[in-house]
Amino acid sequence: MKFVKMSTSFKCTGWALLLACLSAISADAQRIGLGGNTKPTATKEAPAINYADPKEYEVAEVTVSGTQFLDPNSMISISGLKAGDKMRVPGPAISSSIKRMMDFGTLDDVEILATKVEGGKVWLNIHIKERPRLYTVTFSGIRKGERETLNDKVKLIKGRVITPTVIKNTQLVIKKHFMDKGFYNTSVKVVQIPDSTRGQATLNFTIDKGNKVKIDEIIIEGNEAIADSKLKRKLKKTKEKKLWHLFTPSKYIPKTYDEDKEKLIAYYRKNGYRDATIEFDSIQNEGQETIKILMRIEEGPKYFYRSITWSGNYLHTTDRLNIILGLKKGDVYNPEELDKKINGIPGGDVSSLYMDDGYLYFRALPVETSVLKDSIDIEIRIFEGKQATINRIILNGNTKTSDRVVLRELFTLPGQKFSKTELINTQRQLSQMGYFDPEKIQINPIPNQGDGTVDIEYTVEEKPSDQIELSGGWGGYIGFVGTLGLVFNNFSIRNIPNRSTWRPLPSGDGQKLSVRFQANGRQFQTYSLSFSEPWFGGKKPINFGVALTRTVYRITDFASMYTRVAAGRQTFIGSYYNNGITFSLGRRLKEPDRFLVLSHSLSLQRYRLDSLDFFSIGYNNGISNNITFNTTLSRNTLSDFQYPRSGSSFSLSATFTPPYSAFRTRDFSDEQEKFKLVEYHKWMFDASWYATITGKLVLSARAHMGFLGSYGDKVGLSPFGRFIVGGSGLAGQGSFALADQDIIGLRGYGDRKVGPLSPNGSLAGGGGVVYNKFVMELRYPVSLNPQATIFLLGFAEGGNNWGNYQDFNPFDIKRSAGVGARIFMPAFGLLGIDWGYGFDRIQGQNTRSGGQFHFTIGQQIR
């Protein structure tokens, strides 16, 4: 006999359904076995229950039927019913038991049956219907790619119990996904397809995205101090439907709109409108595809500082704190600027004044003590605390780079006083190492107030730093040149015997090993092998390096090209050979700051010309020896190597050969004797500066110049060591370069085409003796993932190259502008493509240079 039933539709309503027909047990009840359904079994008829006169019964037995996945004993436990219990019938015990079981969340229906009543005892059977379990999820009404995206977002696990909450939450996830893409009217319907044999079901979500909802108009009211146009610009991602909004679509996304409203109010407060609020805003449908946004702003008065006072400052005077704060009476009240001047400008805020001296526990709280009309009094309450000393350095995440390599680059060492500025400098230094993802470097000071110390935890994430260069480039008159290069930026000689550190070569000690080969068949070949140790001796930042190079360049007899091809041989009419070795030694300086590096190098090179007038000056045959000493002073504070957002770098270098002509008395009319010993002095300056304009948009400004000089008139300006300007710059200094040339790119013009030209169109005298170049770029990242850093750029640049100082005019530059893109992949280095338009004519041309594409390989120096 059935006497209680509750289901997901809440069929049980009151005591009338608790005991339906206890008096007719034998006629209506079914006995359900524990392992499956069984046929009904007749029982003795029980006496009728008088609902007006409840009686107490003792539970003789409790059984469960209808289970598929759930354990019957667990169901009995959850019900709270057990043999020996005494309950009044009718009474609250049965309804409470059903409620507990339905609250369990996995049941679709619960019925309690009295299978037998005898004397004062009752036999109970709990018949349950389990909710189906998920078999799979399908989507209809959308494209295949969208279905794959939703599978990643929904993440419903097979076998999960299907509940109304699960279905509702999934619908909300789907709607939010499409609303974030501008489909504001998305509807999601669900169909549950049961499989009763397995107790499972498939959920099919039918999605109707509708059309993207565009913002037809934004109406702002109540603003008097700030114009509509300025306020609309502050709604960065909420734009009206206009033709010029190419990069900021006008789709309506509620979450983005809420964020933009906060930015708008923040802009008001930055301008002194402390009480500004959005009084109300509303969305009006203009149809299925467009909406109108209405917004009313309550600006309130514009506030100014009336007075700024300090309290709690004992270490530093009020006058000194006021100078650092840089605010005075009458300035516009801007809480954001005030917070930056107290806590947000490393090395230039109030907190740095204290924290750079070890006062880690320093706090400064600005409090509005008085607000009168449009004037505000501010009291900055200071808690200075006590000095903290660095106790331990904790390193996490450097799975490839050894601890000692990371620790030697830190500016925070145990035993030193805590310094906020040094923490920022350390973060920059770790980014510049090139071994770790700059976006994931974390610094966590762990104060120990009990003993006045602090532990500093650095967490880094290794990124691939080794490179394989397999590429091709156009080398001007050299033609197409293929390149194969291997660069190991975290090499380790010490770990050569340790096979576990080979990835694929021994790594972890920060040394650099580079092998490079370039060739255009037998016509042009260059080989290089270099090694550098940044901490020579292991105790100080002294960089030692050695590099070996060999270059072979041959001129082909093009007049007999078809004959030699048919004969299967190649004829050369001239050749150039260069063998060189370079030793370098550099050191990081301490004064005036540790970002300065002074480096020196000694280079020995031997050139041989064989029937080749390489410089177009009549020097066809001979051997030239070049011994140069270079000294370079550089400073680098860039925030990142691949995509710097702030900082600067500069380099000033001077290269000298011995002044042989001062000691030689021979007649230099013979070109072979004249250039037997190469002599010149060369000065070069490179500077770059980066600043974030807004968000991720970065401005880059660069300047480069070089001068080649002689020691006197006996030899004059050397044909060696000159400047080659124009085109992509190829892969930077030294690539495709001959005779100690420096290659400088100038987009919008042909490779090697800017400068003095000989009658045959090649660079006269081997290139220019003085050049300058100026660049402005706007950069925006597409991806900052260390596996593929991609950014777009727009540029304007100008430069020129002169063959003598009489013609030198720094204002006579060849101008160009254009756009480009860069992609950095650890395995291949930096690849780039630019389109530049040259606005000026160069020597040998009667028209503007016009538009040209340029491909670059490697990090550009100039």
Side-chain angles (χ1 to χ4, degrees):
M1 179 185 71
K2 181 189 302 183
F3 62 87
V4 178
K5 181 176 182 180
M6 180 176 283
S7 69
T8 53
S9 57
F10 298 100
K11 300 173 185 177
C12 174
T13 55
W15 284 105
L17 297 179
L18 292 178
L19 299 173
C21 292
L22 191 59
S23 59
I25 293 175
S26 60
D28 298 333
Q30 288 186 339
R31 181 178 297 277
I32 308 299
L34 293 179
N37 293 333
T38 60
K39 294 182 179 180
T41 303
T43 60
K44 291 183 179 180
E45 186 174 333
I49 301 296
N50 187 348
Y51 288 92
D53 183 21
K55 293 183 179 180
E56 187 175 80
Y57 292 88
E58 179 183 346
V59 177
E61 184 184 26
V62 180
T63 57
V64 176
S65 60
T67 58
Q68 285 184 295
F69 300 101
L70 299 175
D71 177 46
N73 293 326
S74 298
M75 293 295 98
I76 294 174
S77 177
I78 292 170
S79 72
L81 300 174
K82 59 181 183 294
D85 284 351
K86 293 184 178 181
M87 62 177 67
R88 295 181 64 80
V89 178
I94 297 297
S95 61
S96 296
S97 176
I98 294 176
K99 185 177 184 305
R100 281 194 296 271
M101 298 188 73
M102 291 301 299
D103 289 344
F104 185 56
T106 61
L107 303 179
D108 196 49
D109 191 32
V110 177
E111 294 178 303
I112 296 183
L113 308 174
T115 59
K116 182 179 180 181
V117 174
E118 189 176 287
K121 295 184 178 183
V122 61
W123 281 254
L124 302 178
N125 174 260
I126 303 172
H127 182 69
I128 64 174
K129 181 181 179 182
E130 297 182 18
R131 282 183 171 143
R133 308 251 169 171
L134 180 66
Y135 176 68
T136 188
V137 175
T138 60
F139 303 100
S140 57
I142 56 176
R143 298 189 304 270
K144 179 181 178 181
E146 293 173 320
R147 292 197 296 269
E148 293 173 352
T149 302
L150 283 180
N151 277 326
D152 294 335
K153 282 186 172 291
V154 169
K155 295 180 180 179
L156 288 178
I157 303 172
K158 182 178 180 178
R160 181 173 181 176
V161 176
I162 300 175
T163 67
T165 302
V166 168
I167 294 173
K168 187 68 175 178
N169 289 343
T170 305
Q171 287 177 305
L172 292 175
V173 168
I174 296 171
K175 289 190 69 173
K176 182 180 181 302
H177 170 72
F178 285 105
M179 288 176 68
D180 288 346
K181 294 182 176 296
F183 297 94
Y184 186 61
N185 296 318
T186 298
S187 65
V188 182
K189 297 180 180 179
V190 60
V191 175
Q192 187 170 312
I193 306 170
D195 182 352
S196 57
T197 59
R198 293 184 292 185
Q200 294 179 324
T202 296
L203 291 180
N204 175 257
F205 293 91
T206 302
I207 301 165
D208 181 6
K209 297 187 301 184
N211 296 314
K212 281 189 177 181
V213 175
K214 303 284 186 177
I215 302 170
D216 182 57
E217 187 179 8
I218 300 175
I219 300 175
I220 303 177
E221 299 176 348
N223 56 309
E224 297 179 359
I226 302 178
D228 287 5
S229 57
K230 284 189 177 180
L231 294 179
K232 288 179 181 180
R233 284 198 293 270
K234 297 303 167 184
L235 301 172
K236 298 292 185 182
K237 298 182 180 179
T238 305
K239 299 293 183 182
E240 293 172 313
K241 188 179 179 181
K242 303 293 183 183
L243 292 176
W244 55 85
H245 288 156
L246 298 176
F247 300 104
T248 52
S250 59
K251 59 187 177 184
Y252 174 67
I253 301 174
K255 179 181 177 182
T256 302
Y257 174 54
D258 291 339
E259 294 172 352
D260 282 344
K261 288 191 292 182
E262 294 177 4
K263 292 175 183 176
L264 187 146
I265 294 302
Y267 177 69
Y268 261 106
R269 290 173 182 167
K270 286 175 64 176
N271 285 274
Y273 294 91
R274 164 182 174 271
D275 301 332
T277 59
I278 297 177
E279 195 172 12
F280 79 88
D281 66 299
S282 63
I283 308 297
Q284 294 184 359
N285 288 322
E286 298 289 302
Q288 291 297 315
E289 298 184 14
T290 60
I291 62 167
K292 181 187 293 184
I293 296 179
L294 302 177
M295 184 185 302
R296 171 173 287 278
I297 294 175
E298 178 62 40
E299 293 180 329
K302 186 173 185 176
Y303 290 92
F304 303 86
Y305 292 106
R306 186 172 68 172
S307 68
I308 299 175
T309 58
W310 303 79
S311 63
N313 55 306
Y314 300 103
L315 294 170
H316 301 288
T317 65
T318 297
D319 290 340
R320 185 177 184 187
L321 294 176
N322 281 331
I323 291 173
I324 294 174
L325 189 67
L327 298 174
K328 60 183 183 299
K329 180 180 179 179
D331 287 347
V332 173
Y333 178 61
N334 182 351
E336 181 180 330
E337 180 189 29
L338 178 62
D339 182 66
K340 285 183 178 179
K341 289 181 175 292
I342 294 175
N343 298 305
I345 309 173
D349 60 346
V350 175
S351 68
S352 294
L353 178 66
Y354 281 91
M355 290 189 176
D356 288 352
D357 196 28
Y359 290 91
L360 171 63
Y361 309 107
F362 163 83
R363 299 290 182 271
L365 178 66
V367 178
E368 297 177 1
T369 56
S370 177
V371 180
L372 183 63
K373 295 183 179 179
D374 65 348
S375 299
I376 295 179
D377 295 334
I378 297 292
E379 179 185 3
I380 302 177
R381 298 171 183 173
I382 289 179
F383 171 74
E384 294 177 333
K386 59 182 181 179
Q387 287 179 308
T389 303
I390 299 174
N391 179 39
R392 289 190 307 153
I393 300 295
I394 304 169
L395 285 180
N396 296 320
N398 54 314
T399 55
K400 177 179 178 181
T401 307
S402 64
D403 286 354
R404 66 184 186 88
V405 171
V406 182
L407 291 172
R408 69 192 186 190
E409 299 294 337
L410 304 184
F411 297 146
T412 54
L413 301 176
Q416 294 180 342
K417 288 187 296 186
F418 175 83
S419 172
K420 173 184 174 181
T421 299
E422 296 293 34
L423 280 184
I424 303 300
N425 291 339
T426 297
Q427 186 174 29
R428 182 188 297 115
Q429 188 70 12
L430 293 176
S431 298
Q432 292 180 350
M433 291 177 69
Y435 308 148
F436 310 116
D437 183 355
E439 303 293 322
K440 298 183 179 179
I441 296 175
Q442 299 179 10
I443 303 177
N444 179 33
I446 306 172
N448 306 310
Q449 296 195 37
D451 58 4
T453 63
V454 58
D455 298 335
I456 302 180
E457 182 180 38
Y458 293 95
T459 302
V460 297
E461 182 175 309
E462 298 267 8
K463 71 173 185 178
S465 58
D466 298 331
Q467 297 174 16
I468 300 175
E469 183 182 348
L470 181 60
S471 57
W474 186 260
Y477 54 81
I478 297 174
F480 182 82
V481 178
T483 302
L484 174 62
L486 300 174
V487 181
F488 301 95
N489 287 302
N490 200 356
F491 189 69
S492 174
I493 290 180
R494 180 176 60 92
N495 285 330
I496 289 178
N498 186 2
R499 294 289 299 180
S500 63
T501 65
W502 287 48
R503 303 182 181 93
L505 291 181
S507 59
D509 279 349
Q511 298 160 351
K512 182 176 180 179
L513 177 66
S514 175
V515 181
R516 204 162 187 262
F517 171 69
Q518 292 179 295
N520 179 1
R522 294 184 60 204
Q523 182 184 358
F524 175 78
Q525 297 175 0
T526 181
Y527 317 85
S528 65
L529 172 66
S530 64
F531 172 81
S532 64
E533 164 57 75
W535 283 67
F536 189 57
K539 295 182 179 180
K540 293 182 179 180
I542 298 176
N543 188 303
F544 171 77
V546 60
L548 299 170
T549 60
R550 174 174 171 78
T551 300
V552 178
Y553 171 56
R554 302 179 178 95
I555 290 291
T556 302
D557 182 9
F558 290 100
S560 61
M561 179 176 63
Y562 297 105
T563 302
R564 63 178 173 79
V565 170
R569 64 181 184 275
Q570 192 170 12
T571 303
F572 299 104
I573 60 176
S575 57
Y576 160 95
Y577 301 90
N578 175 24
N579 298 311
I581 182 170
T582 301
F583 301 93
S584 61
L585 198 65
R587 180 170 182 175
R588 189 185 303 160
L589 303 181
K590 295 183 178 180
E591 298 295 339
D593 63 35
R594 60 169 60 92
F595 300 110
L596 279 172
V597 175
L598 181 63
S599 59
H600 311 284
S601 66
L602 179 65
S603 178
L604 310 175
Q605 297 190 71
R606 185 178 180 87
Y607 310 100
R608 181 162 65 90
L609 294 175
D610 184 5
S611 301
L612 174 63
D613 188 5
F614 181 77
F615 305 111
S616 301
I617 59 175
Y619 178 35
N620 300 325
N621 295 278
I623 295 177
S624 299
N625 300 283
N626 189 8
I627 302 175
T628 58
F629 176 78
N630 172 274
T631 183
T632 300
L633 181 67
S634 62
R635 186 177 187 270
N636 188 337
T637 60
L638 298 181
S639 60
D640 182 19
F641 177 70
Q642 297 302 335
Y643 188 77
R645 301 185 187 183
S646 62
S648 62
S649 69
F650 83 85
S651 171
L652 177 62
S653 71
T655 304
F656 306 93
T657 67
Y660 303 109
S661 61
F663 309 103
R664 299 173 68 190
T665 59
R666 293 190 180 186
D667 181 11
F668 291 136
S669 59
D670 180 7
E671 299 292 338
Q672 186 170 347
E673 182 65 27
K674 185 177 181 179
F675 299 119
K676 180 179 181 180
L677 298 174
V678 177
E679 66 171 61
Y680 61 79
H681 56 88
K682 182 160 62 174
W683 306 78
M684 303 191 72
F685 175 76
D686 301 284
S688 61
W689 174 79
Y690 295 83
T692 299
I693 302 301
T694 179
K696 297 179 181 180
L697 184 66
V698 172
L699 172 65
S700 168
R702 306 197 303 274
H704 312 276
M705 56 192 68
F707 305 88
L708 183 72
S710 66
Y711 293 113
D713 296 331
K714 286 185 178 180
V715 175
L717 291 169
S718 172
F720 294 88
R722 296 203 174 196
F723 306 112
I724 311 299
V725 177
S728 63
L730 303 174
Q733 183 180 13
S735 180
F736 311 120
L738 305 174
D740 203 23
Q741 297 167 336
D742 286 288
I743 296 182
I744 295 95
L746 187 62
R747 292 166 285 191
Y749 298 90
D751 287 322
R752 302 170 174 260
K753 294 299 183 182
V754 178
L757 301 179
S758 64
N760 65 5
S762 62
L763 285 171
V769 298
V770 56
Y771 90 94
N772 58 19
K773 176 184 174 182
F774 308 96
V775 184
M776 293 281 285
E777 284 186 355
L778 281 175
R779 300 178 169 190
Y780 190 82
V782 176
S783 168
L784 292 177
N785 188 320
Q787 303 297 327
T789 301
I790 306 171
F791 62 89
L792 307 177
L793 60 88
F795 69 87
E797 65 186 26
N800 208 345
N801 191 20
W802 295 269
N804 58 70
Y805 284 94
Q806 288 76 20
D807 296 333
F808 173 53
N809 180 0
F811 301 103
D812 177 21
I813 60 175
K814 307 304 180 184
R815 302 160 300 165
S816 67
V819 295
R822 297 290 183 273
I823 177 170
F824 176 84
M825 293 182 291
F828 299 101
L830 188 66
L831 307 175
I833 182 172
D834 296 291
W835 179 86
Y837 186 88
F839 297 101
D840 298 299
R841 293 179 298 171
I842 60 175
Q843 287 183 315
Q845 291 184 354
N846 297 321
T847 60
R848 292 182 177 183
S849 180
Q852 296 189 33
F853 280 99
H854 302 284
F855 298 91
T856 58
I857 306 165
Q859 188 73 34
Q860 296 299 105
I861 300 175
R862 301 179 177 92

